[in-house]
mmCIF file of all heavy atoms in Angstrom:
data_model
loop_
_atom_site.group_PDB
_atom_site.id
_atom_site.type_symbol
_atom_site.label_atom_id
_atom_site.label_comp_id
_atom_site.label_asym_id
_atom_site.label_seq_id
_atom_site.Cartn_x
_atom_site.Cartn_y
_atom_site.Cartn_z
ATOM 1 N N ARG R 203 -1.950 -16.666 -30.479
ATOM 2 C CA ARG R 203 -1.164 -17.790 -29.953
ATOM 3 C C ARG R 203 -0.647 -18.715 -31.053
ATOM 4 O O ARG R 203 0.501 -19.148 -31.032
ATOM 5 C CB ARG R 203 -2.033 -18.596 -28.979
ATOM 6 C CG ARG R 203 -2.252 -17.931 -27.647
ATOM 7 C CD ARG R 203 -0.984 -17.966 -26.812
ATOM 8 N NE ARG R 203 -1.188 -17.381 -25.496
ATOM 9 C CZ ARG R 203 -0.216 -17.166 -24.641
ATOM 10 N NH1 ARG R 203 1.024 -17.457 -24.961
ATOM 11 N NH2 ARG R 203 -0.462 -16.636 -23.459
ATOM 12 N N TYR R 204 -1.517 -19.041 -32.022
ATOM 13 C CA TYR R 204 -1.184 -20.135 -32.940
ATOM 14 C C TYR R 204 -1.039 -19.725 -34.407
ATOM 15 O O TYR R 204 -0.486 -20.489 -35.193
ATOM 16 C CB TYR R 204 -2.271 -21.223 -32.849
ATOM 17 C CG TYR R 204 -2.456 -21.739 -31.445
ATOM 18 C CD1 TYR R 204 -3.575 -21.400 -30.694
ATOM 19 C CD2 TYR R 204 -1.497 -22.563 -30.856
ATOM 20 C CE1 TYR R 204 -3.747 -21.863 -29.397
ATOM 21 C CE2 TYR R 204 -1.655 -23.028 -29.556
ATOM 22 C CZ TYR R 204 -2.772 -22.679 -28.839
ATOM 23 O OH TYR R 204 -2.926 -23.139 -27.548
ATOM 24 N N LEU R 205 -1.510 -18.535 -34.794
ATOM 25 C CA LEU R 205 -1.484 -18.178 -36.206
ATOM 26 C C LEU R 205 -0.430 -17.134 -36.530
ATOM 27 O O LEU R 205 0.263 -17.241 -37.545
ATOM 28 C CB LEU R 205 -2.871 -17.663 -36.622
ATOM 29 C CG LEU R 205 -3.033 -17.269 -38.098
ATOM 30 C CD1 LEU R 205 -2.826 -18.495 -38.980
ATOM 31 C CD2 LEU R 205 -4.410 -16.670 -38.337
ATOM 32 N N LEU R 206 -0.290 -16.129 -35.650
ATOM 33 C CA LEU R 206 0.570 -14.999 -35.984
ATOM 34 C C LEU R 206 2.046 -15.383 -36.049
ATOM 35 O O LEU R 206 2.776 -14.905 -36.920
ATOM 36 C CB LEU R 206 0.373 -13.864 -34.976
ATOM 37 C CG LEU R 206 -0.964 -13.133 -35.077
ATOM 38 C CD1 LEU R 206 -1.034 -12.009 -34.066
ATOM 39 C CD2 LEU R 206 -1.173 -12.574 -36.476
ATOM 40 N N ARG R 207 2.501 -16.225 -35.153
ATOM 41 C CA ARG R 207 3.928 -16.576 -35.155
ATOM 42 C C ARG R 207 4.349 -17.274 -36.441
ATOM 43 O O ARG R 207 5.370 -16.903 -37.031
ATOM 44 C CB ARG R 207 4.260 -17.427 -33.926
ATOM 45 C CG ARG R 207 4.133 -16.636 -32.631
ATOM 46 C CD ARG R 207 4.684 -17.377 -31.446
ATOM 47 N NE ARG R 207 4.459 -16.612 -30.207
ATOM 48 C CZ ARG R 207 5.000 -16.915 -29.052
ATOM 49 N NH1 ARG R 207 5.788 -17.947 -28.945
ATOM 50 N NH2 ARG R 207 4.748 -16.174 -27.977
ATOM 51 N N PRO R 208 3.588 -18.278 -36.935
ATOM 52 C CA PRO R 208 3.967 -18.861 -38.234
ATOM 53 C C PRO R 208 3.931 -17.837 -39.375
ATOM 54 O O PRO R 208 4.787 -17.868 -40.267
ATOM 55 C CB PRO R 208 2.913 -19.962 -38.448
ATOM 56 C CG PRO R 208 2.431 -20.303 -37.084
ATOM 57 C CD PRO R 208 2.491 -19.042 -36.312
ATOM 58 N N VAL R 209 2.954 -16.925 -39.338
ATOM 59 C CA VAL R 209 2.872 -15.899 -40.381
ATOM 60 C C VAL R 209 4.110 -15.009 -40.340
ATOM 61 O O VAL R 209 4.733 -14.734 -41.372
ATOM 62 C CB VAL R 209 1.589 -15.052 -40.202
ATOM 63 C CG1 VAL R 209 1.633 -13.823 -41.101
ATOM 64 C CG2 VAL R 209 0.355 -15.882 -40.504
ATOM 65 N N PHE R 210 4.498 -14.552 -39.154
ATOM 66 C CA PHE R 210 5.679 -13.696 -39.034
ATOM 67 C C PHE R 210 6.951 -14.454 -39.431
ATOM 68 O O PHE R 210 7.878 -13.861 -39.987
ATOM 69 C CB PHE R 210 5.811 -13.164 -37.601
ATOM 70 C CG PHE R 210 4.862 -12.049 -37.287
ATOM 71 C CD1 PHE R 210 3.977 -12.143 -36.223
ATOM 72 C CD2 PHE R 210 4.843 -10.900 -38.049
ATOM 73 C CE1 PHE R 210 3.097 -11.123 -35.937
ATOM 74 C CE2 PHE R 210 3.969 -9.865 -37.765
ATOM 75 C CZ PHE R 210 3.089 -9.977 -36.710
ATOM 76 N N ARG R 211 6.985 -15.749 -39.158
ATOM 77 C CA ARG R 211 8.140 -16.552 -39.544
ATOM 78 C C ARG R 211 8.274 -16.594 -41.073
ATOM 79 O O ARG R 211 9.363 -16.433 -41.626
ATOM 80 C CB ARG R 211 8.005 -17.962 -38.965
ATOM 81 C CG ARG R 211 9.300 -18.767 -38.985
ATOM 82 C CD ARG R 211 9.119 -20.111 -38.279
ATOM 83 N NE ARG R 211 8.798 -19.927 -36.870
ATOM 84 C CZ ARG R 211 7.675 -20.336 -36.301
ATOM 85 N NH1 ARG R 211 6.757 -20.972 -37.010
ATOM 86 N NH2 ARG R 211 7.463 -20.137 -35.015
ATOM 87 N N ILE R 212 7.148 -16.777 -41.758
ATOM 88 C CA ILE R 212 7.162 -16.813 -43.224
ATOM 89 C C ILE R 212 7.565 -15.459 -43.790
ATOM 90 O O ILE R 212 8.379 -15.364 -44.714
ATOM 91 C CB ILE R 212 5.765 -17.233 -43.754
ATOM 92 C CG1 ILE R 212 5.469 -18.682 -43.353
ATOM 93 C CG2 ILE R 212 5.685 -17.070 -45.267
ATOM 94 C CD1 ILE R 212 4.031 -19.100 -43.593
ATOM 95 N N VAL R 213 7.000 -14.388 -43.217
ATOM 96 C CA VAL R 213 7.311 -13.032 -43.703
ATOM 97 C C VAL R 213 8.780 -12.706 -43.468
ATOM 98 O O VAL R 213 9.451 -12.102 -44.318
ATOM 99 C CB VAL R 213 6.400 -11.998 -43.009
ATOM 100 C CG1 VAL R 213 6.863 -10.577 -43.327
ATOM 101 C CG2 VAL R 213 4.957 -12.187 -43.445
ATOM 102 N N ALA R 214 9.312 -13.104 -42.304
ATOM 103 C CA ALA R 214 10.715 -12.818 -41.988
ATOM 104 C C ALA R 214 11.653 -13.493 -42.983
ATOM 105 O O ALA R 214 12.718 -12.945 -43.318
ATOM 106 C CB ALA R 214 11.036 -13.270 -40.570
ATOM 107 N N ARG R 215 11.262 -14.661 -43.489
ATOM 108 C CA ARG R 215 12.120 -15.370 -44.446
ATOM 109 C C ARG R 215 12.206 -14.658 -45.788
ATOM 110 O O ARG R 215 13.155 -14.866 -46.544
ATOM 111 C CB ARG R 215 11.596 -16.797 -44.643
ATOM 112 C CG ARG R 215 11.887 -17.716 -43.465
ATOM 113 C CD ARG R 215 11.187 -19.055 -43.628
ATOM 114 N NE ARG R 215 11.424 -19.924 -42.477
ATOM 115 C CZ ARG R 215 10.744 -21.031 -42.222
ATOM 116 N NH1 ARG R 215 9.768 -21.411 -43.049
ATOM 117 N NH2 ARG R 215 11.018 -21.763 -41.158
ATOM 118 N N THR R 216 11.201 -13.836 -46.108
ATOM 119 C CA THR R 216 11.267 -13.106 -47.387
ATOM 120 C C THR R 216 12.369 -12.052 -47.379
ATOM 121 O O THR R 216 12.893 -11.697 -48.433
ATOM 122 C CB THR R 216 9.922 -12.419 -47.678
ATOM 123 O OG1 THR R 216 9.688 -11.397 -46.697
ATOM 124 C CG2 THR R 216 8.779 -13.421 -47.655
ATOM 125 N N GLY R 217 12.698 -11.537 -46.191
ATOM 126 C CA GLY R 217 13.737 -10.520 -46.094
ATOM 127 C C GLY R 217 13.306 -9.153 -46.599
ATOM 128 O O GLY R 217 14.137 -8.258 -46.763
ATOM 129 N N LEU R 218 12.006 -8.959 -46.845
ATOM 130 C CA LEU R 218 11.499 -7.687 -47.364
ATOM 131 C C LEU R 218 10.921 -6.868 -46.210
ATOM 132 O O LEU R 218 9.914 -7.256 -45.603
ATOM 133 C CB LEU R 218 10.428 -7.929 -48.425
ATOM 134 C CG LEU R 218 10.880 -8.701 -49.670
ATOM 135 C CD1 LEU R 218 9.690 -9.036 -50.557
ATOM 136 C CD2 LEU R 218 11.908 -7.886 -50.445
ATOM 137 N N ARG R 219 11.541 -5.730 -45.915
ATOM 138 C CA ARG R 219 11.109 -4.909 -44.786
ATOM 139 C C ARG R 219 9.705 -4.349 -45.002
ATOM 140 O O ARG R 219 8.925 -4.224 -44.052
ATOM 141 C CB ARG R 219 12.092 -3.756 -44.559
ATOM 142 C CG ARG R 219 13.444 -4.205 -44.040
ATOM 143 C CD ARG R 219 14.329 -3.006 -43.734
ATOM 144 N NE ARG R 219 13.750 -2.163 -42.703
ATOM 145 C CZ ARG R 219 13.873 -2.386 -41.405
ATOM 146 N NH1 ARG R 219 14.553 -3.429 -40.974
ATOM 147 N NH2 ARG R 219 13.323 -1.560 -40.537
ATOM 148 N N GLU R 220 9.374 -3.993 -46.267
ATOM 149 C CA GLU R 220 8.058 -3.412 -46.497
ATOM 150 C C GLU R 220 6.944 -4.416 -46.236
ATOM 151 O O GLU R 220 5.862 -4.070 -45.750
ATOM 152 C CB GLU R 220 7.946 -2.858 -47.923
ATOM 153 C CG GLU R 220 8.120 -3.869 -49.043
ATOM 154 C CD GLU R 220 9.565 -4.067 -49.466
ATOM 155 O OE1 GLU R 220 10.462 -3.719 -48.672
ATOM 156 O OE2 GLU R 220 9.785 -4.556 -50.576
ATOM 157 N N VAL R 221 7.206 -5.697 -46.542
ATOM 158 C CA VAL R 221 6.204 -6.731 -46.261
ATOM 159 C C VAL R 221 6.079 -6.938 -44.758
ATOM 160 O O VAL R 221 4.975 -7.136 -44.228
ATOM 161 C CB VAL R 221 6.576 -8.058 -46.963
ATOM 162 C CG1 VAL R 221 5.555 -9.136 -46.649
ATOM 163 C CG2 VAL R 221 6.666 -7.852 -48.461
ATOM 164 N N SER R 222 7.189 -6.869 -44.053
ATOM 165 C CA SER R 222 7.163 -6.995 -42.593
ATOM 166 C C SER R 222 6.369 -5.852 -41.965
ATOM 167 O O SER R 222 5.566 -6.065 -41.053
ATOM 168 C CB SER R 222 8.595 -7.015 -42.055
ATOM 169 O OG SER R 222 8.605 -7.118 -40.656
ATOM 170 N N THR R 223 6.576 -4.626 -42.486
ATOM 171 C CA THR R 223 5.833 -3.471 -41.983
ATOM 172 C C THR R 223 4.346 -3.628 -42.262
ATOM 173 O O THR R 223 3.502 -3.361 -41.391
ATOM 174 C CB THR R 223 6.354 -2.177 -42.637
ATOM 175 O OG1 THR R 223 7.746 -2.041 -42.371
ATOM 176 C CG2 THR R 223 5.622 -0.962 -42.105
ATOM 177 N N ALA R 224 4.012 -4.076 -43.486
ATOM 178 C CA ALA R 224 2.603 -4.264 -43.844
ATOM 179 C C ALA R 224 1.949 -5.318 -42.962
ATOM 180 O O ALA R 224 0.785 -5.171 -42.548
ATOM 181 C CB ALA R 224 2.496 -4.663 -45.324
ATOM 182 N N THR R 225 2.679 -6.364 -42.632
ATOM 183 C CA THR R 225 2.134 -7.422 -41.777
ATOM 184 C C THR R 225 1.867 -6.898 -40.368
ATOM 185 O O THR R 225 0.826 -7.197 -39.768
ATOM 186 C CB THR R 225 3.109 -8.610 -41.710
ATOM 187 O OG1 THR R 225 3.446 -9.019 -43.030
ATOM 188 C CG2 THR R 225 2.497 -9.774 -40.954
ATOM 189 N N ALA R 226 2.807 -6.120 -39.843
ATOM 190 C CA ALA R 226 2.623 -5.548 -38.507
ATOM 191 C C ALA R 226 1.394 -4.636 -38.470
ATOM 192 O O ALA R 226 0.571 -4.704 -37.546
ATOM 193 C CB ALA R 226 3.874 -4.780 -38.092
ATOM 194 N N LEU R 227 1.252 -3.777 -39.481
ATOM 195 C CA LEU R 227 0.093 -2.889 -39.530
ATOM 196 C C LEU R 227 -1.200 -3.676 -39.702
ATOM 197 O O LEU R 227 -2.241 -3.320 -39.129
ATOM 198 C CB LEU R 227 0.252 -1.882 -40.679
ATOM 199 C CG LEU R 227 1.322 -0.800 -40.474
ATOM 200 C CD1 LEU R 227 1.503 0.009 -41.748
ATOM 201 C CD2 LEU R 227 0.932 0.122 -39.323
ATOM 202 N N LEU R 228 -1.155 -4.751 -40.498
ATOM 203 C CA LEU R 228 -2.342 -5.585 -40.705
ATOM 204 C C LEU R 228 -2.812 -6.204 -39.385
ATOM 205 O O LEU R 228 -4.015 -6.251 -39.107
ATOM 206 C CB LEU R 228 -2.037 -6.685 -41.723
ATOM 207 C CG LEU R 228 -3.158 -7.707 -41.974
ATOM 208 C CD1 LEU R 228 -4.385 -7.010 -42.554
ATOM 209 C CD2 LEU R 228 -2.678 -8.815 -42.906
ATOM 210 N N VAL R 229 -1.871 -6.663 -38.589
ATOM 211 C CA VAL R 229 -2.226 -7.263 -37.295
ATOM 212 C C VAL R 229 -2.936 -6.243 -36.406
ATOM 213 O O VAL R 229 -4.001 -6.504 -35.841
ATOM 214 C CB VAL R 229 -0.965 -7.804 -36.586
ATOM 215 C CG1 VAL R 229 -1.277 -8.182 -35.144
ATOM 216 C CG2 VAL R 229 -0.418 -9.006 -37.329
#
Side-chain angles (χ1 to χ4, degrees):
R203 286 288 183 187
Y204 304 107
L205 181 63
L206 289 182
R207 293 190 184 190
V209 169
F210 283 123
R211 195 175 297 118
I212 294 169
V213 171
R215 286 172 182 166
T216 66
L218 299 172
R219 291 185 62 83
E220 61 272 20
V221 179
S222 179
T223 302
T225 307
L227 289 173
L228 176 63
V229 169

